[in-house]
Amino acid sequence: MTDDADIAPGRVYLVGSGPGDPDLMTVKARRLLEEADVVLHDKLPGPDIIEMVPEERREDVGKRARGERTSQQYTNERMEELAYEGKTVARLKGGDPFVFGRGGEEMVYLAKHGVPFEVVPGVTSAIAGPGVAGIPVTHRDHASSVSFVTGHEDPTKPESAVDWEALAATGGTIVVLMGVGKLPDYTAELRSAGMDPETPVALVERGTWPDQRVATGTLDTIVDARDEAGIEPPAVTVIGDVARERQRVLTFLGNDYGSENGEDEQ
Ligand code: SAH
């Protein structure tokens, strides 16, 4: 809010933008987009939200910004640099900043470097994606727990950080983020862990975006459904009996996202 470098550092807000529909942003996130001196964002918030910020106040720090890979280190240092210029910075992240968004790392970096920060939670795609597709992540009759897992393991890890066998044993809903590419691998893992191959599975692509799409199937058929529909990231995978609820309510499901609700049924 001032350019005087001698004064106390500005504040960094780690802001969740929600799943994509600007109407699903928090009031606080919206206010920060209006008031922040600089908005640092990647692609995940989606064009509708990013374009609410005038170009001169936003910087793309996404992985493929400026035709090269932007490192996490660059983002961290840029937040710090702007704060020490006294700027109010909104670090805008898709969904909730602390759900698979590296927000945790960014927060610790800021604290270590003496930068005051605030966390502004957002509506995560892990719940909202299934939700707008008519899939409640818990349900009194079918699922008394839900697990959020990454489908995209860090390849440098010596062994899988996700225990699919243990997840299969919970009997609860499994929501996989970053799990389009590895869908064949983890559905196979779940089947070999003894999960019923008929377990319903749904893929929600670009949940709450104008071009949202949904593909449905079972543990056995979902890979074919993905390929047939050409589902691409960003998408969430919902595995569990709750995914069947969509079929039961589809006729009356009034969410105004995408045009393909109803075209995905086999
Ligand atoms: N912090 C984010 C998740 C970041 S990881 C959140 O809370 O939503 C990126 C993954 O999020 C994507 O690979 C995809 O699995 C999921 N994702 C984000 N936005 C999405 C959307 N609108 N629809 C479906 N999946 C989405």
Side-chain angles (χ1 to χ4, degrees), residues 118-194:
E118 221 180 282
V119 180
V120 182
V123 174
T124 180
S125 67
I127 295 174
V132 295
I135 303 170
V137 292
T138 69
H139 189 295
R140 229 161 77 96
D141 301 333
H142 322 294
S144 44
S145 72
V146 53
S147 306
F148 301 114
V149 300
T150 171
H152 182 76
E153 295 273 10
D154 182 346
T156 61
K157 278 181 194 157
E159 49 181 30
S160 172
V162 178
D163 187 341
W164 293 100
E165 204 174 337
L167 284 170
T170 66
T173 306
I174 303 169
V175 179
V176 187
L177 280 80
M178 298 175 285
V180 177
K182 298 237 163 74
L183 185 70
D185 302 301
Y186 60 82
T187 47
E189 294 248 14
L190 290 170
R191 277 194 318 249
S192 61

Side-chain angles (χ1 to χ4, degrees), residues 19 44 94-96 99-101 124-126 177-178 204 206-207 209 234-236:
L44 198 57
D96 181 274
V99 179
F100 298 122
T124 180
S125 67
L177 280 80
M178 298 175 285
V204 184
R206 295 174 185 266
W209 294 35
V236 290

